Amino acid sequence: MGSFARKEHQFLAELGLAPRNAGSFACGVWGGSGPVVIAEVVEASGREYEEGMRACYDAAKTWMAIPAPKRGEIVRQIGDALRAKLHHLGRLVSLEMGKILPEGIGEVQEIIDMCDYAVGLSRQLNGSIIPSERPNHMMMEVWNPLGVVGVITAFNFPCAVLGWNACIALVCGNCVVWKGAPTTPLITIAMTKIVASVLERNNLPGSIFTAFCGGAEIGQAIALDARIPLVSFTGSTKVGLMVQQQVNARFGKCLLELSGNNAIIVMDDADIQLAVRSVLFAAVGTAGQRCTTCRRLCSFFMKATINYGSELPLAQGINFG
């Protein structure tokens, strides 16, 4: 692709990206034998998913046996590696997804912040000692890892949502299998390369963090896979309902963050300049792609009278939909 040779796109090489990229990080190695999609990414096939999941499931036995503070140290190193590439990754998010550059950088910063939070959490995974009704006995509560956590993310936040889930999952002793959005495969690959480099530097199995670029077939495989006790899905309500039903059918657990849009009501005593800036950002600041994006604006120019038999407030509405 000629665009990779442009001066403004040379930062992509700093993230390990090339005109053609393997879109499957499974069994600790890069591969891909599925279809080739936008930005010349070779998606994962069903066979690669199965091989990768077997290795990820096996790696969970190694990862959960590592003490939690040591797992926190690995997450700390991931955060530091992301800091070193913060602006490059932010530019990639902006380029691939379309949001403004400060929002792209801010999204990557959210993962770094989550790494910092998870490092502290790694020394606070405490259980309880509970009094027993039996003489000379006590009860101890110990939290155990689930094993493998599946994370399916949407294109509007192509990496932040991964961080919210993966940082916590990793310090708690779980391996992670990630399917990024098929329309933002480059950020999936770039993020995975950074995590993989930290695991390799610490002589840990690359399968602890497994990633697939692919479409609905990979997402459905994750939802149906009994080796994944918990699936986190971010996306549309329609697809989220399907994921929940499939995971529940095998007695798995779900974390769902599904689509929605907000209305803004501006009262007549509001600071109009502040309200205008807030509405503008809410409507277009993230390319209109946020769960809290403003789609309806209602301006009240008469206060409601608060008493019995009150007047109805008169309103003027704008629909951004």
Side-chain angles (χ1 to χ4, degrees):
M1 292 168 60
S3 62
F4 272 77
R6 296 177 186 171
K7 184 177 180 180
E8 65 269 27
H9 292 162
Q10 289 177 0
F11 74 94
L12 295 171
E14 296 291 327
L15 297 172
L17 299 174
R20 190 180 181 91
N21 301 275
S24 169
F25 184 69
C27 307
V29 297
W30 287 96
S33 59
V36 179
V37 296
I38 187 170
E40 291 288 314
V41 172
V42 186
E43 293 185 329
S45 66
R47 175 184 58 80
E48 287 161 335
Y49 170 82
E50 179 56 32
E51 291 175 354
M53 267 308 305
R54 280 202 300 265
C56 187
Y57 187 75
D58 289 340
K61 302 169 187 175
T62 299
W63 184 240
M64 68 176 58
I66 295 173
K70 298 295 185 182
R71 298 194 296 258
E73 166 60 17
I74 301 302
V75 174
R76 185 195 66 78
Q77 292 181 33
I78 293 172
D80 285 347
L82 292 172
R83 280 187 182 89
K85 303 287 187 181
L86 171 60
H87 289 276
H88 287 338
L89 287 168
R91 289 178 66 184
L92 177 57
V93 171
S94 178
L95 176 67
E96 191 171 36
M97 182 270 162
K99 64 178 64 173
I100 60 177
L101 181 57
E103 281 292 300
I105 294 173
E107 177 171 348
V108 180
Q109 183 63 48
E110 285 192 41
I111 309 178
I112 296 170
D113 294 343
M114 281 302 303
C115 287
D116 290 344
Y117 173 78
V119 172
L121 181 65
S122 69
R123 293 184 177 272
Q124 301 178 61
L125 299 175
N126 306 319
S128 302
I129 298 177
I130 305 166
S132 172
E133 64 184 19
R134 300 177 64 188
N136 301 317
H137 283 75
M138 65 178 181
M139 295 185 290
M140 299 178 65
E141 178 186 68
V142 178
W143 293 92
N144 294 313
L146 292 172
V148 179
V149 170
V151 183
I152 304 173
T153 56
F155 88 102
N156 59 339
F157 281 88
C159 59
V161 176
L162 167 75
W164 301 344
N165 288 273
C167 295
I168 304 300
L170 288 171
V171 298
C172 289
N174 302 295
C175 289
V176 173
V177 54
W178 176 29
K179 191 198 88 69
T183 50
T184 54
L186 292 182
I187 192 65
T188 302
I189 294 170
M191 283 289 302
T192 302
K193 283 180 179 289
I194 290 173
V195 176
S197 68
V198 173
L199 294 173
E200 182 180 7
R201 193 162 60 243
N202 287 273
N203 297 313
L204 288 167
S207 298
I208 289 171
F209 188 91
T210 299
F212 299 107
C213 294
E217 68 284 351
I218 299 294
Q220 186 175 51
I222 291 174
L224 294 172
D225 200 326
R227 294 167 295 189
I228 306 176
L230 173 64
V231 176
S232 171
F233 173 84
T234 303
S236 71
T237 302
K238 178 182 178 181
V239 177
L241 179 60
M242 294 168 57
V243 170
Q244 183 182 46
Q245 291 171 339
Q246 290 173 342
V247 175
N248 286 350
R250 57 178 178 83
F251 296 104
K253 298 178 174 67
C254 264
L255 289 174
L256 301 175
E257 185 178 0
L258 308 181
S259 54
N261 293 292
N262 286 357
I264 293 179
I265 299 174
V266 182
M267 304 301 292
D268 62 349
D269 59 349
D271 181 332
I272 297 301
Q273 294 301 317
L274 179 61
V276 167
R277 291 199 299 270
S278 299
V279 169
L280 178 63
F281 180 80
V284 302
T286 52
Q289 298 296 337
R290 187 192 279 264
C291 298
T292 53
T293 291
C294 173
R295 290 293 176 86
R296 297 181 304 282
L297 172 64
C298 196
S299 174
F300 283 81
F301 53 83
M302 180 185 292
K303 282 185 179 179
T305 304
I306 304 175
N307 55 37
Y308 296 105
S310 64
E311 300 177 42
L312 291 175
L314 301 177
Q316 177 174 294
I318 300 175
N319 192 332
F320 290 99

